[in-house]
Amino acid sequence: MKLLRGFDPNAGYHGGFLSIGNFDGVHRGHQQMMACLVRHAQKQGVPSTVFTFDPHPIQLLRPNECPPALTSLDRKAELIEACGVDFLVVYATDLRLLNLSAVEFFSSVVLDDFQARGLVEGPNFFFGRDRAGNTEVLQKLCSDAGIGLDVVPPVFVGASMVSSSVVRQLLADGDVSQASDLLGHRYRVVGRVSSGSQRGAKIGFPTANLTDVVTVL
């Protein structure tokens, strides 16, 4: 997979299939989307591309409401690559992009920047200023432009619909096992092991104290 920071007209992703989103956690729902994306692209012999944002748009629009990330950008790229995607384009989120209307976003990004042949999205996809665009709007825009759209249905693990927000809540509740089931991979954190109060030695087994947790994987 080729990782790009921003658009590159010479990169080779034009004319392929495209998925747009934050993909935080790259959970089972995202993985199903990317399997569909790669399948369409390979069938037609064109590239598969994921377009994502860094930082999360909410961090610019409503910084006090920005949720904690489930994945660092490096880990996100690693997980997306494992899905077989050809290109990952990471856009440095700015207000210019966020102020585009749904129609402007579609015209500028989907048609001009990617020249996409088709799109693959989830059912809760929103785009454009004030999240005015949804999958119904996208279907109309794609139909008018003569390009395909595949809306992948949500994934359920047991009774739980897989989503980044559900995974965050499970982690907040301490249910790491169920969160990992929804993610489809182990949840990990990165930090520094430091000395503590040595209580582990007193109770018969060592423990690790993590400080300076710098990123979430």
Side-chain angles (χ1 to χ4, degrees):
M1 184 184 75
K2 189 170 184 179
L3 171 62
L4 300 168
R5 302 285 186 142
F7 301 118
D8 181 349
N10 301 311
Y13 52 68
H14 297 97
F17 280 81
L18 175 68
S19 287
I20 303 170
N22 291 303
F23 303 106
D24 191 20
V26 194
H27 55 58
R28 290 184 185 272
H30 298 144
Q31 293 163 30
Q32 181 160 293
M33 280 180 56
M34 290 177 202
C36 181
L37 174 75
V38 170
R39 187 166 59 249
H40 280 306
Q42 290 181 344
K43 184 176 181 179
Q44 299 200 28
V46 295
S48 56
T49 302
V50 167
F51 180 52
T52 193
F53 313 96
D54 184 45
H56 193 298
I58 296 179
Q59 191 165 321
L60 273 69
L61 297 172
R62 302 184 300 278
N64 293 333
E65 300 176 24
C66 189
L70 294 171
T71 44
S72 68
L73 183 57
D74 287 345
R75 177 60 170 160
K76 183 186 294 187
E78 179 183 315
L79 292 167
I80 290 173
E81 182 174 25
C83 294
V85 172
D86 296 315
F87 291 93
L88 173 60
V89 179
V90 180
Y91 187 87
T93 316
D94 57 28
L95 292 177
R96 183 201 70 81
L97 185 76
L98 297 179
N99 283 325
L100 293 176
S101 69
V103 171
E104 290 169 338
F105 181 93
F106 182 83
S107 177
S108 175
V109 175
V110 176
L111 298 184
D112 293 343
D113 291 319
F114 287 103
Q115 299 170 26
R117 179 175 300 196
L119 290 172
V120 176
E121 299 297 342
N124 296 321
F125 178 66
F126 295 92
F127 64 104
R129 187 174 58 245
D130 299 326
R131 292 163 56 89
N134 56 20
T135 55
E136 291 182 2
V137 172
L138 186 61
Q139 181 65 72
K140 175 67 165 57
L141 292 170
C142 285
S143 178
D144 290 346
I147 66 177
L149 171 65
D150 199 333
V151 178
V152 177
V155 172
F156 286 82
V157 174
S160 298
M161 188 182 81
V162 178
S163 72
S164 300
S165 58
V166 171
V167 172
R168 286 192 198 94
Q169 187 58 56
L170 287 168
L171 292 170
D173 294 341
D175 194 344
V176 179
S177 177
Q178 179 67 3
S180 296
D181 283 345
L182 268 61
L183 286 169
H185 52 82
R186 290 183 177 180
Y187 177 76
R188 296 180 287 171
V189 296
V190 169
R192 183 173 300 161
V193 177
S194 62
S195 297
S197 302
Q198 305 301 317
R199 292 192 182 95
K202 298 175 183 177
I203 60 178
F205 54 88
T207 60
N209 297 285
L210 279 181
T211 61
D212 301 328
V213 175
V214 292
T215 186
V216 178
L217 299 178

